[in-house]
């Protein structure tokens, strides 16, 4: 997280510590590889913390339509998770579809 701080992005020591622990827990639960913090989206009602990583096929959703790229390929190469607080559970986002 020091690299973000050097770029002028700083969440504070406590929130940074909680984010690191939260990402470690997510990595352990999902067995995601190359898991990293993508960013924080400031919403009007809630904020969204976003993580991305590579997920083995056994933990992924199957495509809902034939046009949807399979997990781990193309625009669905990475898997994304979101939460409203680093103390909340992470929710995996669905696969990207042509719609």
């Amino acid at each position: 997280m020091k690299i973000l701080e050097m770029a002028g992005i700083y969440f504070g020591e406590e929130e940074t510590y909680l984010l690191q622990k939260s990402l470690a827990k997510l990595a352990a639960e999902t067995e995601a590889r190359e898991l990293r913090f993508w960013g924080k989206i400031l919403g009007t009602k809630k904020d969204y913390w976003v993580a991305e990583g590579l997920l083995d096929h056994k933990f992924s959703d199957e495509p809902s339509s034939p046009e949807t790229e399979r997990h781990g390929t193309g625009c669905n190469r990475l898997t994304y998770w979101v939460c409203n607080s680093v103390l909340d559970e992470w929710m995996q986002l669905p696969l990207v579809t042509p719609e």
Side-chain angles (χ1 to χ4, degrees):
M1 294 295 175
K2 286 284 186 194
I3 196 160
L4 293 175
E5 188 176 338
M6 289 172 28
I9 302 167
Y10 185 62
F11 299 117
E13 287 184 31
E14 182 178 351
E15 204 157 34
T16 300
Y17 173 78
L18 293 173
L19 176 61
Q20 289 175 333
K21 293 298 180 185
S22 182
L23 289 174
K25 180 181 174 192
L26 176 63
E29 290 174 352
T30 63
E31 297 181 18
R33 295 176 288 118
E34 299 180 32
L35 185 67
R36 62 184 170 203
F37 175 61
W38 182 87
K40 182 179 180 181
I41 299 172
L42 304 176
T44 55
K45 296 186 181 188
K46 292 182 180 179
D47 295 338
Y48 297 91
W49 296 81
V50 184
E52 71 176 4
L54 298 172
L55 193 61
D56 289 334
H57 182 67
K58 65 181 177 178
F59 292 103
S60 65
D61 297 330
E62 288 298 317
S64 56
S65 71
E67 297 86 33
T68 302
E69 292 181 308
R70 296 189 59 79
H71 180 79
T73 62
C75 61
N76 288 316
R77 185 176 75 82
L78 296 171
T79 301
Y80 291 88
W81 293 267
V82 296
C83 63
N84 295 117
S85 165
V86 291
L87 298 175
D88 291 344
E89 292 294 318
W90 291 88
M91 181 181 81
Q92 182 178 330
L93 295 179
L95 295 174
V96 176
T97 64
E99 296 89 42

